[in-house]
Each structure stands twice: as structure tokens, then as C-alpha cells.
Amino acid sequence: IQRLPEKPEALYGHFVFPSGLAAAEIGARAGIPAFLAYGESSAKLFSAIPTTALRRRLSALAGVVAVSGENAREIVEDGLYPFPEKVRVFPNAVDPAVFHPMDRREARRALGLPEDAFLVAFVGGFIPRKGVGVLSRALDEADAASIFIGRGETKPDAKNMLFSGALDHGEIPRYLAAADVFALPTLSEGCCNAIVEALAMGLPVVSSARPFNDGLLTAENSLRVDPTDERAVASAIRRLREDSALRAQLAEGARRTGEALQIAARAADILKFMEERL
């Protein structure tokens, strides 16, 4: 940074560790305002660093971009950055040219999926935290077809899986377009990109009734459940399959929510926040 021919006006580190801590330290040494984005799913991801050291290093930051209200609360109340006036919430967002409502029948025909199936989509790591096992069992109980997009060691094993595996990111919208519902019984998140993308596609969401989802999911776009209770997940899926009016209502709510989560607007708002603090 010191060898650059022109001194930066600001530094930005994405996530607390290691980028955010690096930005804070470089900013303090070089006299440059530094910012970080707090988007971790859990403070445990940097728990190896003593709280006193984190607080000392982060206190030099000019501001914090939090991806959810829960993240904003955590970084302040846990004492890592006890300056609430310098923390602003900017939920994750999408490129609307990529993620937007599409014709379901056309998507199913293109992918060779049955047109009459009730289809639930999952996108995420195949890991316990994302609820892959819980959702697999819930889908069997609800007798619903599914597609699982992702990779990892905890392989989904739902009986009526029509697709399971990793995809290039550009392929995901068509698979989501083929689904009736998006389900992700995740245990913890910062702000889940997969949920944001599903909302932008106009999909009703079944996900966790936990604080990290509060900024995204409401009664207008989702059914929220205990992510550890496979019967509750199955009941929500059955309810959406059997109640087409509710499904359409939540789909419209998802579409409206998704329209407000556009990446260009988010970037502009973050830059404005940073400029205010220079």
C-alpha cells in the first residue's frame, strides 16, 4: 500500500478475518480510513483471536458494513466494535439481469424435469449447518420431489431427488426457475446469498425462524420454521404444495423483496456510507 504511486482514499476488507483485520491495521499504519464488511455466519470463525486483540485492532476502523441486523447487533454487543453509529446494514443483493422470475414450464422442459411435479429446490453447501440431512428427511415425509445444488461431504439422500450436484453459478437461475419452492433449514448465516437469489427468482422460501433471517424473510415471502425440526420443515413444504393461493401470495412477496435487493444499488449505498465517513 505504501509503495502505491497514489494513496488510496479508503481501504475495504471483506469479512473480519483475515481481510477486515488487515484493512484495519494497514489503515491505522498508513493513515487511510478503513472499513470492513461483517458477513460471517458465526463469530466462532475468528474465535481463535482473543476478544481484546480484536477490539483493539478493529477500533481503528472508520466504519463497518454489516450484511444483516443480526451481524450489526453482534459486532457491537459482543464488544468487537462498540460504535453503533459507525455500523450500517446492507443486505446482500443480486444482479437482476441474472436472477429474475422466469417461466417455470419452459425451464422444466429445458432441463428435462417433469412438468407436473411439485419441486423443492435447495442451494448451498452439503454440510450439516445448511440442514441437508434435515431437509432430505423432511422431503421424504412430505413426499416431494427435489433438486439439491451444491457440493460437500453430507450428501442429500431424499428419495425423489431429480438432481443433485454442483453447477456453475450461471446455471443456477434456470434450476431455481424450475422449482415451486426454495427450502434451506440453515442453522446460521450472515446474509444468505442463496436465499436472496431465490427471492429474486420469485420463489416462496421455507427457512429458519432465527434472527439472521429477520432482514430478508417475512410472512409475506416465506414460511419460517425451527431448522432442527424435520417435521416442521415437512409441514411447511406440504402446506405450500396443498395451498396454491398461499404459494402464489408468497411468490409475489418474494418477487417484491427481490426487486429491492439489486447489487448496483447496494454498491452505490455502500460507497455513499464510506464517503460519509472519510
Side-chain angles (χ1 to χ4, degrees):
I1 296 294
Q2 291 174 336
R3 287 197 298 267
L4 289 174
E6 185 175 351
K7 186 177 180 180
E9 294 180 60
L11 301 171
Y12 174 92
H14 202 68
F15 296 127
V16 174
F17 180 82
S19 303
L21 288 171
E25 185 167 348
I26 293 168
R29 290 187 184 186
I32 303 171
F35 300 81
L36 72 78
Y38 183 28
E40 280 90 341
S41 61
S42 170
K44 293 179 181 178
L45 294 173
F46 45 83
S47 60
I49 305 172
T51 300
T52 52
L54 283 168
R55 184 185 303 118
R56 175 179 54 78
R57 294 172 69 179
L58 297 183
S59 64
L61 291 168
V64 168
V65 172
V67 299
S68 70
E70 181 66 3
N71 279 73
R73 183 197 65 77
E74 283 179 352
I75 200 167
V76 171
E77 293 186 7
D78 290 352
L80 302 180
Y81 188 72
F83 308 108
E85 71 280 4
K86 298 181 183 180
V87 180
R88 194 81 55 83
V89 177
F90 301 91
N92 289 340
V94 299
D95 180 351
V98 178
F99 289 92
H100 56 84
M102 302 178 187
D103 185 86
R104 182 172 293 113
R105 290 184 178 179
E106 182 179 315
R108 291 191 181 193
R109 283 195 294 268
L111 296 172
L113 297 172
E115 292 190 17
D116 58 347
F118 177 78
L119 186 55
V120 178
F122 167 100
V123 179
F126 293 170
I127 57 177
R129 176 171 68 85
K130 294 290 187 176
V132 173
V134 169
L135 181 58
S136 293
R137 294 187 292 273
L139 287 163
D140 287 348
E141 184 175 332
D143 192 26
S146 61
I147 54 176
F148 281 81
I149 301 169
R151 60 167 62 90
E153 296 183 356
T154 307
K155 304 296 183 185
D157 59 358
K159 294 176 182 176
N160 194 12
M161 257 190 318
L162 303 181
F163 175 85
S164 175
L167 293 172
D168 290 337
H169 195 246
E171 296 180 89
I172 292 176
R174 179 170 285 178
Y175 279 78
L176 289 177
D180 296 285
V181 172
F182 179 83
L184 186 73
T186 176
L187 299 178
S188 63
E189 298 287 341
C191 176
C192 181
N193 280 311
I195 290 178
V196 174
E197 291 167 357
L199 291 169
M201 297 295 299
L203 285 178
V205 173
V206 175
S207 191
S208 312
R210 293 192 173 183
F212 56 78
N213 271 335
D214 287 351
L216 288 178
L217 299 182
T218 68
E220 295 182 352
N221 58 30
S222 63
L223 296 180
R224 296 176 63 184
V225 297
D226 178 352
T228 66
D229 186 345
E230 60 195 63
R231 290 186 175 180
V233 177
S235 177
I237 291 171
R238 276 197 303 265
R239 184 180 174 193
L240 289 174
R241 181 183 60 200
E242 295 165 3
D243 191 338
S244 59
L246 174 62
R247 194 164 70 245
Q249 176 185 329
L250 296 183
E252 176 59 21
R255 185 193 61 77
R256 289 196 302 269
T257 303
E259 283 184 345
L261 298 170
Q262 298 193 11
I263 193 67
R266 181 179 192 262
D269 289 344
I270 290 174
L271 284 173
K272 182 180 178 182
F273 166 69
M274 293 173 70
E275 288 167 355
E276 290 170 352
R277 307 219 58 80
L278 294 179

